[in-house]
Amino acid sequence: MESHIKVFFFILGLLVFVSISEIQSVEAAGECGRSTTPDNEAMKLIPCASAAQDENASVSQSCCAQVQKIGKNPSCLCAVVLSNMAKMSGVNPKIAITIPKRCNLDNRPIGYKCGPYTLP
């Protein structure tokens, strides 16, 4: 029951934040390109919510598929992990940064520096 409540608040927080960020959106190229922001990309990682908070949680195939897409641009993946949306959703960057390895992604950017964290 407690995990359902956490997921509910995670999704609610994401929706509120996206609504606010869309209002304040600026047209500039960022880490994730011109057409999106790290906070918007974080919305795509909802299937990773529990895996980004608990290193013992299993990582779903849908999570791994999204991480693989976003991970093609390591600076975007890093920006998503460190984004305001991720922080508001309770993501632990130290744990979230391990998801590409936990997904067994062959082409993950091993050793990429993401703020104070390094991708394993």
Side-chain angles (χ1 to χ4, degrees):
M1 178 72 174
E2 185 179 280
S3 65
H4 293 302
I5 293 171
K6 285 183 179 180
V7 170
F8 172 76
F9 281 108
F10 173 78
I11 293 171
L12 181 63
L14 289 174
L15 293 174
V16 168
F17 189 79
V18 167
S19 297
I20 292 169
S21 68
E22 286 298 320
I23 292 169
Q24 299 175 357
S25 174
V26 237
E27 284 297 318
E31 296 92 342
C32 297
R34 184 174 292 282
S35 63
T36 190
T37 66
D39 288 321
N40 288 342
E41 292 300 300
M43 291 291 291
K44 297 175 184 175
L45 296 177
I46 288 175
C48 302
S50 60
Q53 297 171 354
D54 178 4
E55 61 190 335
N56 296 315
S58 63
V59 184
S60 70
Q61 287 182 342
S62 58
C63 169
C64 291
Q66 289 300 324
V67 168
Q68 186 170 26
K69 287 178 190 174
I70 296 171
K72 290 179 181 177
N73 178 350
S75 63
C76 178
L77 182 61
C78 180
V80 169
V81 168
L82 299 175
S83 70
N84 289 328
M85 179 66 70
K87 290 176 192 169
M88 286 178 35
S89 303
V91 168
N92 181 336
K94 185 176 181 179
I95 295 172
I97 208 78
T98 67
I99 292 175
K101 181 178 181 179
R102 291 162 57 199
C103 287
N104 295 315
L105 299 180
D106 292 332
N107 297 326
R108 68 183 186 273
I110 297 170
Y112 187 85
K113 290 293 286 176
C114 183
Y117 310 101
T118 303
L119 270 90

